[in-house]
Amino acid sequence: MHTTNIIKPLSVDSVIFGFEDDQLKVLLIKRIVDKDSGTWALPGGYIKYDEDIDVAAARILEERTGVKVFMKQLGAFGEVNRFPDKRIITIAYYALVKPRNFALSLEDDASAIEWVNVYDLPKLLFDHGIIIEHALRSLRRRVRIEPIGFNLLPNSFPLLSLQRLYESILNTTFDKPNFRRKILKMKLLIPLEEKQEGVAHRSARLFKFDKNRYDKLIDKGFSFEV
Amino acid sequence: MHTTNIIKPLSVDSVIFGFEDDQLKVLLIKRIVDKDSGTWALPGGYIKYDEDIDVAAARILEERTGVKVFMKQLGAFGEVNRFPDKRIITIAYYALVKPRNFALSLEDDASAIEWVNVYDLPKLLFDHGIIIEHALRSLRRRVRIEPIGFNLLPNSFPLLSLQRLYESILNTTFDKPNFRRKILKMKLLIPLEEKQEGVAHRSARLFKFDKNRYDKLIDKGFSFEV
DNA sequence: ATGCATATAGTCTTAATGACTACAAGAATA
DNA sequence: TATTCTTGTAGTCATTAAGACTATATGCAT
């Protein structure tokens, strides 16, 4: 990594959430450089002098994963001793993505990159565990009042997947018929002709999220709520 | 202000909300130093090398107002051109306070310090207007699901004051009997013997917020909602 | 063909909400 | 003193949403 042209006391770290095998996961990398070797960490990097911080966050993630995603800022983490020896304050971001769209590619300074279950994390570098906790809290708050959960699912999905998604984020369970009723009543899902394939039981209808419709409803004062 | 021992590319700015005359207000200062003269701005300062950022935010506010308050981090604002000539990223904080407890004291570099209606702001320094917008959005989200509004009111208050508070924050109106019913049903307010004094109409009973009770209810899964 | 897992439709009860009406209290006024 | 004005406080009624269920439909696997 080049160290010229960066703002030295500031870094960016990203919590990338994905949903895979009915589990909420986080993208982690394991570094091989210097004494951090062997510790899992959030993908991160440094901000350039002539770069907006939001842009820096997106660039760094793209460098590591090849995918451009919209990042939401979580906040700054700046305890005096969070980083050893030096005083580095990090600005954390998070994003919700579809893991299938990610072709994970290793960079020079990483020995591994993996999706890890958010409820079963390894020991993490510095305060990255705390950052993930904060991100999860923020996600839980937002996911209930904004239709952001769909960013974690494929474009078309059965209702039960959506339910499992909310259950794993909110760490709870819902009654199936009731969840179904509530979601469908919002009229935000377009029922497709397609059905599930390759399942060992009655196949479910697939739906897709209707972003257009959502925007219109919002203008009319509608508010999403799960 | 001393410029030694600070982290140069980082500042802290605070949005202090207060409720006065049934209006939601923000604490602003007008600086007289250098070319910023005459522009209203958020109280702010620089972070020291050996100081947590949350502590820096509280210290800076205390220096300007003499009052120690708990600050909530809003996030980092880091557009390349937000600050003229230099690249300075600011971490914004906000807090809810009782204006009566504040003895506003001028510092050397400020020519005025004032509570200003948040819906009628003057032109502000740099991106401070944007920061206030973000703070207001965050406040609106939080105030509906956490009992933080009470921090803006005196310890004892009539129900209508609470209603006016929510109305001014959320920029809406509520039906009086319905608001009353909703709030009282939560059992978070302790009715006092005292009544309003010096009002030209029937005096209302005063209440105080029961923090203890709230903490207990939270443990039982209760969730505050307005 | 039978079981089994999931999909999907619908019922019933209870609680919350929004829109009101009505009356009470007490200072100001006429 | 009587009246009026403003706000406080209690309660009604209809509508809607939520939670806990029951019941039936499909279709693969044995």
Side-chain angles (χ1 to χ4, degrees):
Chain A
M1 178 173 306
H2 301 280
T3 51
T4 54
N5 196 32
I6 58 159
I7 302 179
K8 291 213 184 78
L10 271 181
S11 65
V12 167
D13 287 296
S14 300
V15 181
I16 311 302
F17 288 110
F19 187 64
E20 210 181 40
D21 307 326
D22 281 1
Q23 294 177 340
L24 183 64
K25 298 185 176 180
V26 170
L27 193 62
L28 296 181
I29 63 174
K30 189 185 267 179
R31 304 197 196 173
I32 53 170
V33 288
D34 63 82
K35 68 176 190 296
D36 300 326
S37 284
T39 309
W40 289 97
L42 293 172
Y46 291 92
I47 301 166
K48 296 180 181 171
Y49 264 112
D50 57 351
E51 182 182 52
D52 288 350
I53 53 177
D54 296 29
V55 172
R59 169 184 56 79
I60 290 162
L61 185 68
E62 192 182 0
E63 285 171 5
R64 301 222 182 264
T65 65
V67 179
K68 224 180 177 97
V69 268
F70 173 74
M71 311 280 288
K72 171 94 177 172
Q73 192 192 116
L74 182 61
F77 291 77
E79 286 213 349
V80 170
N81 295 314
R82 64 170 292 280
F83 197 99
D85 305 331
K86 280 184 283 183
R87 179 78 200 272
I88 295 190
I89 290 167
T90 197
I91 301 176
Y93 281 78
Y94 70 99
L96 311 183
V97 306
K98 309 177 205 303
R100 288 185 194 175
N101 295 357
F102 272 61
L104 303 182
S105 65
L106 288 176
E107 261 196 301
D108 320 353
D109 65 344
S111 64
I113 182 163
E114 245 176 57
W115 289 107
V116 182
N117 187 327
V118 79
Y119 297 112
D120 189 19
L121 296 172
K123 180 164 168 39
L124 292 162
L125 194 67
F126 309 152
D127 54 357
H128 289 191
I130 292 172
I131 293 174
I132 293 176
E133 271 177 40
H134 279 255
L136 185 55
R137 258 202 291 281
S138 174
L139 173 60
R140 283 187 180 147
R141 220 179 310 117
R142 281 185 67 214
V143 85
R144 296 188 47 191
I145 53 175
E146 290 175 61
I148 55 174
F150 302 106
N151 292 325
L152 291 161
L153 291 176
N155 283 329
S156 62
F157 50 84
L159 284 176
L160 191 58
S161 290
L162 187 65
Q163 183 179 337
R164 296 288 178 246
L165 172 66
Y166 278 101
E167 289 176 338
S168 60
I169 293 176
L170 301 173
N171 208 13
T172 181
T173 58
F174 294 109
D175 173 87
K176 223 194 298 182
N178 290 345
F179 182 84
R180 185 186 182 78
R181 177 182 56 189
K182 185 164 188 171
I183 295 293
L184 290 179
K185 191 159 36 180
M186 290 193 245
K187 304 276 187 197
L188 289 176
L189 297 185
I190 303 173
L192 304 174
E193 290 308 313
E194 300 170 72
K195 295 204 156 197
Q196 261 181 325
E197 282 175 22
V199 288
H201 53 77
R202 177 176 172 184
S203 66
R205 178 183 287 279
L206 300 183
F207 292 84
K208 76 186 252 242
F209 174 60
D210 190 344
K211 167 85 170 119
N212 257 346
R213 170 106 197 176
Y214 174 69
D215 292 337
K216 276 182 200 149
L217 285 175
I218 281 295
D219 286 344
K220 291 184 195 162
F222 166 83
S223 68
F224 182 84
E225 201 194 321
V226 174
Chain B
M1 180 174 307
H2 301 280
T3 50
T4 53
N5 195 31
I6 60 160
I7 301 179
K8 292 215 183 73
L10 271 182
S11 65
V12 167
D13 287 297
S14 300
V15 181
I16 312 301
F17 288 109
F19 187 66
E20 210 181 39
D21 307 325
D22 280 2
Q23 294 177 341
L24 183 65
K25 297 186 175 179
V26 170
L27 193 63
L28 296 180
I29 63 175
K30 189 185 266 178
R31 304 197 195 173
I32 52 171
V33 288
D34 64 82
K35 67 176 192 297
D36 298 325
S37 284
T39 309
W40 289 98
L42 293 172
Y46 292 92
I47 301 168
K48 295 180 182 172
Y49 265 111
D50 56 352
E51 181 182 52
D52 289 351
I53 54 177
D54 295 31
V55 173
R59 168 184 56 80
I60 289 162
L61 185 68
E62 192 183 358
E63 285 171 6
R64 300 223 182 267
T65 64
V67 179
K68 222 177 180 100
V69 268
F70 174 75
M71 313 278 289
K72 170 95 178 173
Q73 192 191 115
L74 183 61
F77 291 77
E79 287 213 347
V80 170
N81 296 313
R82 63 170 294 278
F83 197 99
D85 306 329
K86 281 184 284 184
R87 179 78 199 274
I88 295 191
I89 290 167
T90 197
I91 301 176
Y93 280 77
Y94 70 99
L96 311 183
V97 306
K98 310 178 203 303
R100 287 185 195 175
N101 295 356
F102 272 62
L104 303 182
S105 64
L106 287 176
E107 261 196 301
D108 319 353
D109 66 344
S111 66
I113 182 163
E114 245 174 58
W115 289 106
V116 182
N117 188 327
V118 79
Y119 297 111
D120 189 20
L121 295 172
K123 181 166 167 37
L124 291 162
L125 193 66
F126 311 153
D127 55 357
H128 289 191
I130 292 172
I131 292 174
I132 293 176
E133 271 178 40
H134 279 255
L136 186 53
R137 259 202 290 279
S138 174
L139 172 61
R140 282 187 179 147
R141 221 179 311 117
R142 280 185 69 214
V143 86
R144 296 187 48 190
I145 53 174
E146 290 175 61
I148 54 175
F150 302 106
N151 292 325
L152 290 160
L153 292 176
N155 285 329
S156 62
F157 50 85
L159 284 175
L160 191 59
S161 290
L162 187 65
Q163 182 179 340
R164 295 289 178 245
L165 171 67
Y166 277 101
E167 288 176 338
S168 61
I169 292 177
L170 300 173
N171 209 15
T172 182
T173 58
F174 295 108
D175 174 88
K176 222 193 301 181
N178 290 346
F179 182 84
R180 184 186 181 77
R181 175 181 57 187
K182 186 165 188 170
I183 296 292
L184 290 181
K185 191 158 35 181
M186 290 194 243
K187 305 277 187 196
L188 290 176
L189 297 186
I190 302 172
L192 304 175
E193 290 309 314
E194 299 168 71
K195 296 204 157 198
Q196 261 179 326
E197 282 176 21
V199 287
H201 54 77
R202 176 176 173 183
S203 65
R205 178 184 287 279
L206 299 183
F207 292 84
K208 76 187 253 240
F209 174 59
D210 190 344
K211 167 83 170 121
N212 255 347
R213 171 106 199 178
Y214 174 70
D215 291 338
K216 276 184 201 149
L217 285 174
I218 281 295
D219 286 344
K220 290 185 195 162
F222 167 83
S223 69
F224 182 84
E225 199 191 324
V226 173

